[in-house]
């Protein structure tokens, strides 16, 4: 990770995102919604690259939808999931690795993979499971073809494979892939967060 201005903003997003997911799992829906919305609105006094929640946009929209769904607001849930589907992930960053703190450079590949995963989850939540499963299989296929190379590239591929397995409900395979991603790059935040949520 290059620079130094992205770290604070990135931690703001991931801290609220992680706490929101824990609150959602505990069915604390208003608190979860507040955290997910806070993650989208980085305070002006925090240095960042001007892209707000950046590569987390689809992810946050998915979780906001899940929180609204828990609150019984089906219309807002559906709109949030449609917003997740509409996010453009292909232009997020570049390369692989996704080390803690970065939103561009080596973090971009993980942002795209996570964005694709959460778009597929949103598609499933909107009642299109077959289309979602195709997207999960695409993640797996891409990962399997990209496992060779530098540790950062391997971490990216294992993370994508883990997300694909997780989307398909194959939790043990997902856990194994996330652990391999962390073994390749120990400070990969995406795999670390997923493993934390699986405990």
């Amino acid at each position: 990770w290059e620079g130094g201005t992205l770290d604070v903003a990135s931690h703001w997003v991931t801290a609220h995102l992680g706490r929101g997911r824990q609150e959602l799992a505990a069915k604390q829906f208003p608190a979860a919604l507040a955290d997910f919305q806070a993650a989208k609105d980085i305070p002006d006094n925090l240095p960042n690259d001007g892209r707000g929640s950046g590569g987390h946009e689809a992810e946050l929209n998915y979780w906001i939808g899940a929180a609204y769904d828990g609150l019984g607001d089906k219309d807002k849930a559906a709109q949030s999931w449609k917003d997740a589907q509409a996010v453009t992930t292909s232009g997020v960053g570049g390369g692989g690795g996704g080390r803690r703190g970065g939103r561009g450079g080596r973090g971009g590949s993980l942002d795209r993979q996570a964005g694709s995963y959460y778009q597929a989850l949103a598609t499933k939540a909107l009642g299109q499971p077959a289309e979602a499963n195709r997207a999960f299989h695409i993640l797996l296929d891409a990962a399997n073809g990209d496992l060779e190379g530098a540790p950062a590239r391997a971490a990216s591929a294992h993370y994508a494979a883990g997300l694909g397995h997780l989307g398909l409900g194959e939790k043990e395979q997902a856990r194994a892939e996330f652990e391999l991603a962390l073994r390749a790059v120990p400070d990969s935040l995406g795999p670390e967060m997923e493993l934390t949520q699986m405990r």
Side-chain angles (χ1 to χ4, degrees):
W1 171 65
E2 294 87 23
T5 61
L6 302 185
D7 191 60
V8 176
S10 177
H11 279 286
W12 170 272
V13 174
T14 54
H16 281 288
L17 182 55
R19 188 169 66 187
R21 288 181 62 174
Q22 291 175 338
E23 291 162 342
L24 190 66
K27 301 188 184 304
Q28 298 170 356
F29 302 120
L33 180 60
D35 267 313
F36 296 142
Q37 290 175 330
K40 291 189 77 169
D41 299 317
I42 298 173
D44 292 337
N45 64 333
L46 292 185
N48 65 78
D49 62 355
R51 291 167 50 209
S53 51
H56 289 290
E57 199 69 28
E59 182 175 1
L60 287 168
N61 285 331
Y62 169 76
W63 289 118
I64 287 170
Y68 275 127
D69 189 54
L71 289 167
D73 194 331
K74 304 299 183 184
D75 290 339
K76 286 186 177 179
Q79 185 56 57
S80 294
W81 290 328
K82 289 175 184 176
D83 290 343
Q85 288 181 314
V87 172
T88 301
T89 58
S90 59
V92 179
R99 293 192 176 192
R100 189 191 310 274
R103 287 270 56 81
R106 285 177 289 184
S109 181
L110 292 190
D111 286 340
R112 284 196 301 275
Q113 291 157 358
S116 297
Y117 168 70
Y118 283 103
Q119 286 178 319
L121 284 186
T123 298
K124 187 174 183 177
L126 287 167
Q128 303 163 39
E131 186 176 339
N133 284 346
R134 279 195 293 273
F136 296 138
H137 281 293
I138 288 170
L139 263 178
L140 279 173
D141 290 343
N144 289 334
D146 200 29
L147 282 171
E148 301 299 323
R153 184 172 177 178
S156 179
H158 284 301
Y159 179 50
L163 292 175
H165 284 301
L166 192 60
L168 293 168
E170 300 165 351
K171 291 187 177 181
E172 289 310 308
Q173 294 97 318
R175 187 191 307 275
E177 292 291 350
F178 294 143
E179 288 173 348
L180 287 169
L182 284 178
R183 193 175 304 167
V185 179
D187 61 351
S188 295
L189 188 55
E192 181 180 295
M193 182 178 288
E194 294 302 333
L195 283 170
T196 298
Q197 296 297 323
M198 293 175 76
R199 291 186 185 118

